[in-house]
Amino acid sequence: MTADLFEAVPDVRPPREAMADGAVLLRGFVKPHESELIASLREIVTQAPFRRMFTPGGHQMSVAMTNCGNAGWVTDHSGYRYDGVDPVSGQPWLAMPPVFRALAEMAASDGGFEGFSPDACLINRYAPGARMSLHQDRNEIDFGAPIVSVSLGLPATFLFGGPKRADKPQRYRLEHGDVVVWGGPSRLFFHGVAPLADGDHAVMGRQRINLTFRKAR
Ligand code: MD3
Ligand code: FE
C-alpha cells in the first residue's frame, strides 16, 4: 500500500494529560481559534510592544514581555509587581480581548476550575535562545485561582518541578495551540522554560509566544 504524501499525519499525543494534582495539559485547545487569537495579539503588541525588563537584581530577562487586562506584571530595580499602567507608555494596558477571556475561562472550567475570572494576561515572547529559569509565581493575591497558559509558535521544553526548588523537574514539550491549567497544589510548583531551540513556525515564525492568564488582584 502506498501512503498519500499529502495525507494528514494523525496526532499521536493524547488530547488531555494530567501533569500533577491540579495541573492538566489540554493539547491543541486553542487551535480552532488561532486566527482570532493572533489578530487580537497583534493589536496588543502594537499598542504595548514587547520589552525585555530588568529583574530587581539588575539582570535583563531574555524573554520579552507585555500585558493586557486590568493589571500587568512588571519588574524593575524596585521589584516585581502588578501595575494597571504600562511603565513604557504611562497608559493603562489594553483590555483583555473577549476571545482571550473566553478561551481562558473555558480552559479553566475544563481543568476543573469553574468561575475563573482573570484580570491579567502576561504575554511572553521567546526568541531562539531565550529561557526562563526555575521560579514560583507568587505575586498574585489569590493562590486558590489557577493560572491558564497558552502556547503559540515554536515548541518549547517546559520544566515542571515540585514544591521545593530542589525537586527534579519533569520535561514537557509544549506546542502551538496547547493550553495548560495550573491550580490546586501545583499552583505554587517551581517551573521554567529551557532555552528555545531555533526553528521557523508556519504561523508564528522564529518565536514562541506564551500567554498566561491570572487573577492578580
Ligand atoms: C506552573 N511562563 O510567565 S507558562 C511565567 O512558558 C511563566 O512563558 C512560562 O512561567 C512560559 O511565569 C510557563 C506555564 C506556567 C505558568 C504559571 C505557573 C506554569 C506554572 C504557575 C505555577 C505552576
Ligand atoms: Fe511562572
Side-chain angles (χ1 to χ4, degrees):
M1 215 188 69
T2 322
D4 180 344
L5 277 175
F6 300 103
E7 197 180 340
V9 177
D11 194 343
V12 294
R13 306 180 311 155
R16 183 189 186 94
E17 182 180 343
M19 295 168 67
D21 191 6
V24 61
L25 169 50
L26 307 170
R27 291 193 168 96
F29 189 87
V30 302
K31 275 273 185 64
H33 308 278
E34 65 172 350
S35 49
E36 300 107 285
L37 205 55
I38 293 164
S40 292
L41 187 57
R42 234 176 251 292
E43 291 181 29
I44 291 161
V45 306
T46 301
Q47 163 95 11
F50 287 112
R51 78 290 306 262
R52 288 176 54 205
M53 295 187 282
F54 287 85
T55 65
H59 297 283
Q60 189 172 24
M61 299 183 77
S62 59
V63 178
M65 299 176 166
T66 187
N67 293 274
C68 65
N70 288 337
W73 187 85
V74 295
T75 173
D76 60 20
H77 61 89
S78 71
Y80 307 121
R81 65 190 173 278
Y82 283 94
D83 201 314
V85 167
D86 177 353
V88 170
S89 67
Q91 296 298 122
W93 303 105
L94 281 186
M96 208 180 282
V99 62
F100 277 33
R101 170 174 295 282
L103 288 170
E105 292 182 0
M106 279 199 286
S109 302
D110 245 40
F113 298 89
E114 205 60 59
F116 178 53
S117 179
D119 58 2
C121 174
L122 170 61
I123 307 172
N124 294 333
R125 177 186 186 270
Y126 296 75
R131 60 189 289 269
M132 194 175 285
S133 56
L134 221 55
H135 68 279
Q136 292 173 297
D137 287 25
R138 310 193 60 114
N139 296 129
E140 301 74 27
I141 189 127
D142 177 10
F143 299 145
I147 290 179
V148 173
S149 97
V150 176
S151 292
L152 296 171
L154 291 175
T157 299
F158 177 71
L159 308 170
F160 190 35
K164 298 190 296 289
R165 184 177 288 280
D167 293 332
K168 187 184 160 67
Q170 289 178 258
R171 299 161 80 88
Y172 287 90
R173 183 180 158 96
L174 295 182
E175 295 186 4
H176 181 77
D178 290 352
V179 172
V180 190
V181 179
W182 323 83
S186 76
R187 173 65 180 75
L188 289 171
F189 281 14
F190 281 87
H191 58 277
V193 178
L196 191 78
D198 200 359
D200 192 1
H201 187 270
V203 179
M204 301 294 293
R206 288 181 68 193
Q207 62 181 339
R208 168 175 187 259
I209 290 180
N210 181 265
L211 317 176
T212 46
F213 295 90
R214 300 140 185 270
K215 175 135 188 51
R217 45 197 202 179

